[in-house]
Amino acid sequence: MPRLLLLALLSSCSSASASLRDFGNGILVAQHRRAYDADSADKLRHGRASEFKFARFQHPAAVKSAFSECRPESNFKAFVGKDGRSGRVCSTQLGRDWVLAESEQVAPSCTCAQVLGAYLDGLLQRKWSADKVKDVKVSKHPWPKGGGEPYVRQDLVLHSQRVIRAHTGVMCYSQRITVDKVGSNYCAFVCLDQDAPATPKRPFNSLAVYVSLQQDGQDVRIYAAGIFEVNRAVVPNLVVFDASGIAGDMAGKGTLWLAGHFTERALLSRTRKHPDESIRQRVAQSLPWGRHSM
C-alpha cells in the first residue's frame, strides 16, 4: 500500500509539472485542453465595457462575435509600418474612458510556441517599440504566493510622452500574462498587476487583453483584442477631440511587430542560403508582406 501511494503521488506531481512547463518548451501553461469551449454568451456593449470579461478557451471567432454589437467587421483596416510590422487593426470607442483595440497578423515560418516566446521576450519588445518602451523585465511565477495559477509578469518602463503642452514623465507599471493551451494552439490573457508598484501616470487604469495563436500550416495567425480604460491624466478628452481613439489605435498596432519579427527572421534565413547579392534581393522582394488575407 505505501508503494502504491508513492506511485500515485509521483504520477500526480509529474502531471502537474507537465501542465506548468508545457512539455519542455519552458512556457508556463496554466491550463491545457484538447479543444475550444462552446462560445461564451457574454457580449461587449457600448457604455458597459467594464462588465465584459474574456472567457477562457474561446476560439478567436467567438471573441470577435462578442464584439459584433459595438463594431462591424468592416472596421478593420490594413496597416504596414515602415519598420516592417504589418496586419489589420481596429479601434472602437466604447463610451466614457473605455476603448477596444484589435489586431490581426500572420507570422510566417514559425510555430505558436516560437511566437509566444517572442511575445514574452523583453529584449524584442524594447527593440520593436524603442520609441515608447524604455525597459522591460520579465519574470516567471510558476507557484504564486497564496495560490493561484502560474503566470508571467512584465515590468514595463515607458518613455515620457508629450501631452498637449506638458510631459507625462517616465511611466511604470506591471502586467500579468496567463497562458492556456488549446490543442496545439495558445490563448494568452493580460491584465494589470495591481500588487506591483506603478506610477500615478500610466496609459491605462484598467486593461484586459486576449491573444490567440493558431497554427496555419507553416505560419501562425495572431488575433489580439484589448479592452482598456484610458488614464485621462495621460490620454486627454478635449471638447473637440478625444485622444482615446488614437490610444486604442496605437495599442492595436503595438503587437504587429510579431509579423515583422518573423518576416525579418525568414529573410535572414533565406539570405544565408543565397550569398549572391542579386539572389538576396529577389528573396527580399518575394517575402509575404501582403501575401495573407486576414
Side-chain angles (χ1 to χ4, degrees), residues 107-168:
S109 305
C110 58
T111 65
C112 289
Q114 289 173 327
V115 173
L116 186 57
Y119 178 67
L120 299 175
D121 190 318
L123 292 177
L124 286 176
Q125 289 199 14
R126 286 173 58 187
K127 170 189 172 182
W128 285 91
S129 303
D131 59 330
K132 299 179 181 65
V133 177
K134 185 176 182 180
D135 190 26
V136 181
K137 289 184 172 61
V138 179
S139 56
K140 294 182 179 181
H141 300 264
W143 308 107
K145 294 180 180 179
E149 296 181 320
Y151 67 92
V152 175
R153 193 174 95 176
Q154 290 181 327
D155 301 316
L156 295 102
V157 181
L158 307 183
H159 291 294
S160 178
Q161 300 294 320
R162 183 179 178 85
V163 179
I164 313 302
R165 297 181 180 178
H167 286 80
T168 62

Side-chain angles (χ1 to χ4, degrees), residues 49-60:
S50 61
E51 301 174 9
F52 182 84
K53 305 296 181 186
F54 286 109
R56 304 279 286 269
F57 303 104
Q58 290 291 290
H59 192 280

Side-chain angles (χ1 to χ4, degrees), residues 88-123:
R88 298 202 310 161
V89 295
C90 180
S91 177
T92 307
Q93 290 173 295
L94 300 173
R96 301 189 182 94
D97 299 333
W98 292 85
V99 63
L100 166 66
E102 298 172 88
S103 67
E104 296 176 318
Q105 59 186 307
V106 174
S109 305
C110 58
T111 65
C112 289
Q114 289 173 327
V115 173
L116 186 57
Y119 178 67
L120 299 175
D121 190 318
L123 292 177

Side-chain angles (χ1 to χ4, degrees), residues 167-188:
H167 286 80
T168 62
V170 173
M171 297 178 284
C172 305
Y173 67 97
S174 299
Q175 54 191 26
R176 293 189 180 195
I177 303 174
T178 304
V179 178
D180 290 335
K181 191 171 185 181
V182 186
S184 60
N185 302 319
Y186 290 91
C187 296

